[in-house]
């Protein structure tokens, strides 16, 4: 039987964040998931009820997918054929286009060395198998929220920086403390717009 999602456990219908793509790299039968010809996880509703889910069995395919799709978060197994999850994460974090995608490791490896390496390579979290559905969904939601907040903060900073540069570009000269206070007041008023 499929594992329950957080919303179903609470007795509510699941709310899908269809604009969020989660990529899951899995090893055969690890989650009792089957992957159909479209790369969708079937017979397991853990992710599909809440997210637009892409799945792959190999690290190489995961790297190909992130070049073609805008992925918001990656669930990454460590033990995969040909290329392990550590190498996949290393390549993701060394690529300008994928370095900011949160990577959550989900693995049977529980030794301190593996956990340490996962975080050193840029993983944001580490979940060991067997996992609990509520734990996985909660961590996915937390890291997506952190990513969204980071993006919003960066956009706000960029907008404020642009405003300051525009004010300076129009020739505001600071010849006295009063001029500085006027400029500061204009900046503060402009910042309130954001």
């Amino acid at each position: 039987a499929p594992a329950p999602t957080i919303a179903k456990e609470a007795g509510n219908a699941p709310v899908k964040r269809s604009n969020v793509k989660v990529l899951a790299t899995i090893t055969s039968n690890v989650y009792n998931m089957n992957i159909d010809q479209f790369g969708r996880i079937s017979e397991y509703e853990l992710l599909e009820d809440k997210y637009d889910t892409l799945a792959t069995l190999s690290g190489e395919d995961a790297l190909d997918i992130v070049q073609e799709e805008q992925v918001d978060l990656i669930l990454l197994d460590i033990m995969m054929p040909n290329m392990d999850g550590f190498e996949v994460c290393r390549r993701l974090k060394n690529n300008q286009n994928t370095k900011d995608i949160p990577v959550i490791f989900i693995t049977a490896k529980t030794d301190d060395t593996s956990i340490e390496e996962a975080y050193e390579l840029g993983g944001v979290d580490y979940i060991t198998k067997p996992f609990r559905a509520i734990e996985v969904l909660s961590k996915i939601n937390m890291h997506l929220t952190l990513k969204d907040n980071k993006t919003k903060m960066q956009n706000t900073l960029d907008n404020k920086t642009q405003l300051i540069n525009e004010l300076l570009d129009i020739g505001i000269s600071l010849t006295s403390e009063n001029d500085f206070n006027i400029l500061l007041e204009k900046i503060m008023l402009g910042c309130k717009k954001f």
Side-chain angles (χ1 to χ4, degrees), residues 126-162:
Y126 196 97
I127 301 171
T128 57
K129 300 173 194 170
F131 62 82
R132 293 173 297 284
I134 193 164
E135 177 184 17
V136 174
L137 292 173
S138 293
K139 289 186 177 205
I140 288 172
N141 189 54
M142 175 184 67
H143 289 293
L144 288 172
T145 299
L146 287 171
K147 180 183 178 197
D148 290 346
N149 289 340
K150 180 180 176 184
T151 300
K152 288 175 186 173
M153 287 173 52
Q154 185 61 51
N155 290 340
T156 299
L157 178 62
D158 292 346
N159 289 335
K160 289 179 180 181
T161 301
Q162 180 182 352

Side-chain angles (χ1 to χ4, degrees), residues 19-21 54 65-72 101 147:
N19 60 334
V20 175
K21 285 190 181 172
L54 306 166
I65 289 170
V66 297
Q67 296 307 316
E68 298 170 10
E69 300 275 346
Q70 184 173 343
V71 173
D72 297 291
I101 300 173
K147 180 183 178 197

Side-chain angles (χ1 to χ4, degrees), residues 16-18 20-25 33 36 38-42 44-56 73 75 140:
K16 187 167 185 165
R17 291 174 68 170
S18 59
V20 175
K21 285 190 181 172
V22 174
L23 172 62
T25 62
M33 294 182 185
D36 67 16
F38 305 108
R40 294 182 306 222
I41 299 172
S42 58
Y44 201 85
E45 297 175 350
L46 175 64
L47 301 173
E48 288 186 324
D49 282 348
K50 295 185 77 64
Y51 305 105
D52 183 3
T53 306
L54 306 166
T56 181
L73 185 136
L75 298 175
I140 288 172

Side-chain angles (χ1 to χ4, degrees), residues 90-103:
R90 185 177 290 109
R91 291 184 186 193
L92 289 166
K93 298 305 175 183
N94 286 328
N95 182 321
Q96 189 64 28
N97 297 324
T98 59
K99 68 181 179 66
D100 293 326
I101 300 173
V103 174

Side-chain angles (χ1 to χ4, degrees), residues 56-91:
T56 181
L57 295 171
S58 77
E60 293 93 341
D61 288 345
L63 292 171
D64 289 341
I65 289 170
V66 297
Q67 296 307 316
E68 298 170 10
E69 300 275 346
Q70 184 173 343
V71 173
D72 297 291
L73 185 136
I74 298 173
L75 298 175
L76 186 59
D77 201 339
I78 293 174
M79 298 181 291
M80 295 183 293
N82 301 325
M83 183 186 303
D84 68 16
F86 293 137
E87 182 58 27
V88 173
C89 188
R90 185 177 290 109
R91 291 184 186 193

